[in-house]
Amino acid sequence: MSNELNQDLGRDPGRGEHGVRAGGALVVGLDAGGTRTRAVLASASDGRPLGEGVAGPGNALTVPVPQLTEHLVEALAGAVPEPDRPRVVAVAGGFAGAAGTADEPGRVNALTALTEALRRLGIPAREIRISSDIEAAFAAAPDTPADGLALVAGTGAVAMRITARHCEKTVGGDGWLLGDDGGGFWIGREAVRVALRMADRRGGDTALAVLVGRELGVPEAVLPSGGEVSAFEEYGEREGYEGGGGGGRAWSRTAREAYRRHVLPAVMAEPPVRLARLAPLVAEAARAGDALAGAILREAAGHLADCVRALEPAPGESVVATGGLLGPEGPLTAPLDRHLSALGLVAHWVPDGSRGAVALARLAHDGAVTYPEKEK
């Protein structure tokens, strides 16, 4: 394992492979989300990270159990050296799709897959904790709070009230078709919508027509800027649309129609959630002063704030936020902070739920909490 990773984990490189101490109990925390599964090995006594493994998606509702099991095996094997596996006393996993009670399908799937993965690897953990990835992210906040609010804004978007480290109420998170307003998918979809509106002359000028078009493989010749003038001549008349996104050059009707003919099948050919990859383009355009991109981000932050507001927060309550759209570099951080400030709230960002899962595994080992999964 690289020195860089040793430093990232705060590990002493002199401890040998994975930096694992010669003795002592170990715990594992898992952050299993929609795009990756991350396992972190840590000391049971002080929570110090000692190893890490990463594998594919870990959503317990959308990833079939056999595939989920394989991803867990890969992540756990990368985190826990084989000689140290007998010393693992507790494993806690925060899984996307595993909210609710112990008999909810996502939690059942997660427990089934994790139990089998541990069996295959010879990890005899006496305590197994299954939680949602949001509960794990909440526990990643300083001092591992027991109560408060959690907000996730990544591909999807969901807010949750946490009581005694368990979900009490959820707002949002209903998936790309029915909800997740304000998340990465929603932002990416809005980017395509404003680009298409510009193309059919229902909407204003926006740089997103170019950025989205290039990302989706639209030929430069039919983009509203960046194409060769001769290409526009090839596509016919130069009447029509003038504006900043068009680079001061008309976007001909024929070119606009060709743009739409490329964009629509490119979007339909992929799973809908792939639109989330367009969210960074909206942030890029907003930073450059694009009015429509900025409006999309402000509306997204408003949707997130609505989710928090629906949880009826009290001023000063703890709000733990995570996901790629939030945090120090997140495009929704500043507009969301303005909404939360009006509610008397401040968001505390955590990078993911792996540290929280480690904290929950240590609590399970200490006997500080009980888990219905062990009774099933």
Side-chain angles (χ1 to χ4, degrees):
M1 188 171 292
S2 68
N3 289 332
E4 290 81 0
L5 182 55
N6 283 331
Q7 292 166 3
D8 289 344
L9 293 174
R11 180 186 310 139
D12 178 2
R15 295 186 181 188
E17 185 183 6
H18 290 256
V20 181
R21 293 181 183 273
L26 302 171
V27 298
V28 175
L30 288 158
D31 178 53
T35 57
R36 71 168 188 174
T37 298
R38 182 184 181 209
V40 174
L41 176 70
S43 164
S45 61
D46 59 14
R48 180 182 178 85
L50 301 171
E52 178 180 347
V54 178
N59 188 305
L61 277 180
T62 62
V63 178
V65 170
Q67 185 179 357
L68 178 59
T69 302
E70 294 299 330
H71 292 170
L72 291 171
V73 167
E74 182 181 352
L76 287 165
V80 189
E82 187 171 357
D84 298 296
R85 292 172 188 172
R87 296 162 51 200
V88 175
V89 295
V91 176
F95 290 82
T101 59
D103 58 354
E104 293 286 342
R107 294 178 80 99
V108 172
N109 292 346
L111 181 61
T112 300
L114 180 54
T115 301
E116 173 61 16
L118 295 173
R119 185 195 67 78
R120 290 189 197 176
L121 293 172
I123 297 177
R126 294 186 297 275
E127 299 293 338
I128 300 175
R129 157 78 177 199
I130 301 295
S131 65
S132 73
D133 55 340
I134 308 170
E135 290 166 330
F138 183 80
D143 302 321
T144 313
D147 306 297
L149 309 174
L151 176 65
V152 178
T155 299
V158 62
M160 183 179 288
R161 176 170 289 285
I162 307 290
T163 302
R165 301 189 180 91
H166 290 275
C167 170
E168 178 182 324
K169 180 181 179 180
T170 299
V171 176
D174 298 320
W176 66 268
L177 181 62
L178 301 176
D180 283 344
D181 295 345
F185 162 79
W186 183 92
I187 292 173
R189 184 191 64 187
E190 291 303 300
V192 178
R193 292 181 70 186
V194 299
L196 291 173
R197 285 174 177 269
M198 178 180 170
D200 66 18
R201 303 182 69 180
R202 287 184 297 154
D205 194 12
T206 174
L208 289 172
V210 175
L211 296 175
V212 167
R214 285 178 176 153
E215 179 65 26
L216 296 177
V218 175
E220 288 283 325
V222 300
L223 296 179
S225 66
E228 296 295 333
V229 174
S230 60
F232 275 79
E233 293 171 349
E234 175 188 346
Y235 277 96
E237 76 279 33
R238 297 169 62 81
E239 55 77 27
Y241 201 87
E242 297 280 354
R249 197 174 57 234
W251 193 12
S252 75
R253 182 179 63 200
T254 310
R256 288 187 277 108
E257 288 299 320
Y259 179 92
R260 291 174 56 82
R261 287 197 301 271
H262 283 285
V263 167
L264 293 173
V267 170
M268 302 304 178
E270 297 182 323
V273 293
R274 283 281 291 157
L275 288 176
R277 77 183 192 277
L278 303 179
L281 303 182
V282 181
E284 176 186 340
R287 286 193 298 269
D290 188 273
L292 288 178
I296 290 173
L297 296 185
R298 289 192 296 274
E299 187 175 353
H303 285 307
L304 299 183
D306 287 343
C307 289
V308 175
R309 190 178 294 110
L311 294 172
E312 302 178 332
E317 262 196 295
S318 176
V319 181
V320 177
T322 191
L325 298 174
L326 302 174
E329 305 297 327
L332 299 187
T333 299
L336 177 63
D337 282 347
R338 289 192 286 271
H339 285 285
L340 295 182
S341 179
L343 299 173
L345 302 172
V346 175
H348 304 281
W349 183 75
V350 297
D352 61 32
S354 59
R355 187 173 75 175
V358 166
L360 294 175
R362 293 180 65 215
L363 286 170
H365 174 55
D366 291 340
V369 288
T370 58
Y371 304 113
E373 288 85 0
K374 298 297 293 183
E375 301 169 4
K376 300 281 300 171

